[in-house]
Amino acid sequence: MTESERSGPSRRALIGWSGAGLALGAAATGGTMALTGADDHLGLASADTGGAVAFHGAHQAGIATAVQDRLHFAAFDVKTEDRAEFVRLLKDWTAAARRMTAGRAVGEGAYGGLAEAPPDDTGEALGLKPSRLTLTIGFGPSLFERFGLTDRRPAALADLPKFPGDNLEKSRTGGDLCVQACADDPQVAVHAIRNLARIGFGKVAVRWSQLGFGKTSSTTPDAQTPRNLMGFKDGTRNIAGTETARLKKHVWVDASDGDAKSAWMTGGSYLVARRIRMNIETWDRTSLQEQEDVFGRDKREGAPVGKAKEHDAPFLKAMKPDAHVRLAHPDSNHGVTILRRGYSFTDGTDGLGRLDAGLFFLAYQRDVREGFIPLQRKLSAQDALNEYIQHVGSAVFAIPPGVRDSADWWGRTLFSEEA
């Protein structure tokens, strides 16, 4: 395959890349080491250098990868009815993502081409480092109603039930596709989504999107646990990117899972995205003791009730029965464990002087029916934290396996008969 083929169509070949919109990004990354077959998705060595994360691998990057500082997440509706056109789009997106995650411009770049045509790249990331950009793509349940895919929808991609307390906004819920762009530079993440959306103009349209800052969980061993907007450390017991056994057990889909219709998901995962608004003003007027009781941890150290250090094993019965940590702990849920990758958000005010702020919750798991659904059923019914939060947006996606080499592309295992 030539370099031009790997890069996708140029503007000379495809003026239709121009357009408006937001974005779709996809699985993986590409780096200074990208374009190799490396499966180095942790990005630990380059965490402080703005370097690149490998694009190719058995799993998509952006899941077990060391969590970056910024997020741009977008959900899309598919507008084309032509399966071949949609597959071509997935291949074009793969080529563009391969370049952007390596810190390179899309196609022939932002300048120097035909003056009569829009540039292939929008240009706002020129001169910026790759910033550990990862792009992770997912397919929503509604996509399987198209292109003759009904019999290939995995049972593990279950529709989420309505949980007690949900107040979901249609404009922030669902989607045929999603793209999660994570980077240490917000401009790099936004650039990726913007350019993938331009490529998809006329074939996909943005349904909703979310910007995030301040990661609220970590997949990096020994890293300081980040804090959410309530001021508490979040994700203390999160699965680390180096915990191969836990990832295999709780995150990655195995060939033994499901039946023939879900075999294409081997090496992938399932994502639940929830926009959780926090009642910041109410929380800020709550006593410290009640705040600590709600979580079951102290605010300074993050230690569980009755313990001295954050990572001390919690004694769950010492916590109040409705404490968040007690209810969410695997020991209280028959071992249910998810990989968290959430971000804080603030989107101005709601018109009544209250901050529109909270947590954009991202949870990866091997099976939604055995992960998020039973866990959220318990939390939505009993958690003391419910007084201070409300779920206002929701979506679930099948995250296919990674792009293995330069001939591979996002979604190949689903759309290629030979796969």
Side-chain angles (χ1 to χ4, degrees):
M1 179 177 288
T2 66
E3 175 61 28
S4 62
E5 289 172 328
R6 289 196 300 267
S7 303
S10 71
R11 63 175 167 275
R12 292 183 174 88
L14 185 60
I15 300 301
W17 276 33
S18 63
L22 255 169
L24 158 51
T29 57
T32 40
M33 58 175 79
L35 305 189
T36 71
D39 190 18
D40 178 18
H41 286 166
L42 291 181
L44 303 180
S46 60
D48 299 319
T49 66
V53 179
F55 182 82
H56 299 131
H59 314 294
Q60 291 198 57
I63 302 174
T65 308
V67 184
Q68 302 94 319
D69 290 334
R70 301 284 181 152
L71 167 79
H72 191 181
F73 188 96
F76 295 82
D77 289 331
V78 174
K79 297 302 182 181
T80 181
E81 299 294 333
D82 188 325
R83 177 180 173 128
E85 183 177 49
F86 184 69
V87 168
R88 180 68 259 172
L89 175 62
L90 291 176
K91 292 179 179 180
D92 290 344
W93 273 337
T94 306
R98 185 180 283 118
R99 294 181 66 88
M100 289 189 290
T101 53
R104 301 163 69 187
V106 174
E108 295 181 5
Y111 56 85
L114 291 176
E116 298 79 13
D120 285 346
D121 189 284
T122 53
E124 72 272 25
L126 289 174
L128 300 180
K129 296 178 180 179
S131 299
R132 296 195 298 133
L133 172 67
T134 58
L135 293 169
T136 311
I137 190 172
F139 303 138
S142 54
L143 180 71
F144 293 86
E145 299 171 7
R146 301 171 175 270
F147 309 126
L149 297 173
T150 305
D151 62 349
R152 304 206 73 187
R153 175 180 170 178
L157 183 63
D159 292 316
L160 301 182
K162 179 175 175 56
F163 299 103
D166 277 2
N167 187 22
L168 302 182
E169 302 169 15
K170 187 176 181 180
S171 61
R172 298 183 184 274
T173 296
D176 295 331
L177 301 168
C178 77
V179 180
Q180 171 193 284
C182 297
D184 289 328
D185 187 326
Q187 188 147 316
V188 170
V190 170
H191 169 265
I193 293 294
R194 176 182 178 186
N195 280 270
L196 289 170
R198 293 178 73 236
I199 297 170
F201 181 70
K203 306 173 191 69
V204 296
V206 176
R207 182 181 179 90
W208 56 270
S209 66
Q210 181 67 57
L211 291 171
F213 68 92
K215 60 188 178 185
T216 61
S217 58
S218 173
T219 57
T220 308
D222 303 322
Q224 177 174 308
T225 305
R227 294 178 185 268
N228 57 35
L229 290 183
M230 290 178 164
F232 279 77
K233 292 185 177 181
D234 208 337
T236 295
R237 292 177 55 85
N238 199 34
I239 301 174
T242 53
E243 292 183 296
T244 306
R246 292 184 77 198
L247 288 168
K248 178 178 175 61
K249 181 177 181 180
H250 300 293
V251 179
W252 306 132
V253 177
D254 189 80
S256 64
D257 296 348
D259 50 31
K261 68 180 181 181
S262 60
W264 64 273
M265 274 292 294
T266 300
S269 189
Y270 295 96
L271 169 64
V272 172
R274 303 279 283 186
R275 188 179 192 270
I276 305 173
R277 182 173 175 181
M278 295 177 176
N279 302 323
I280 295 292
E281 291 76 17
T282 302
W283 179 259
D284 290 346
R285 295 193 298 271
T286 300
S287 70
L288 175 60
Q289 184 61 61
E290 182 174 344
Q291 290 184 359
E292 293 184 336
D293 286 344
V294 165
F295 276 98
R297 291 184 178 274
D298 81 270
K299 199 167 188 176
R300 177 182 178 180
E301 175 63 27
V305 173
K307 302 291 183 175
K309 299 295 183 182
E310 175 192 353
H311 294 282
D312 288 347
F315 180 51
L316 299 180
K317 291 184 178 180
M319 303 175 187
K320 288 184 175 292
D322 58 358
H324 179 74
V325 170
R326 178 171 179 170
L327 293 173
H329 196 279
D331 289 351
S332 300
N333 295 280
H334 307 288
V336 170
T337 303
I338 56 178
L339 187 154
R340 300 181 57 178
R341 200 178 171 89
Y343 287 82
S344 295
F345 71 84
T346 55
D347 291 335
T349 61
D350 63 0
L352 298 174
R354 299 173 301 194
L355 285 175
D356 182 4
L359 169 67
F360 190 67
F361 180 82
L362 297 167
Y364 288 90
Q365 60 242 277
R366 187 168 169 174
D367 189 325
V368 173
R369 299 167 300 176
E370 299 174 3
F372 181 81
I373 290 178
L375 184 59
Q376 182 59 20
R377 277 198 174 119
K378 174 179 283 190
L379 292 176
S380 62
Q382 304 177 42
D383 195 351
L385 190 57
N386 292 333
E387 181 179 348
Y388 304 98
I389 64 173
Q390 187 167 62
H391 291 237
V392 296
S394 179
V396 58
F397 300 96
I399 308 298
V403 177
R404 292 181 175 271
D405 53 41
S406 60
D408 202 0
W409 45 277
W410 291 333
R412 177 188 59 81
T413 56
L414 173 60
F415 285 94
S416 292
E417 297 296 335
E418 64 274 15

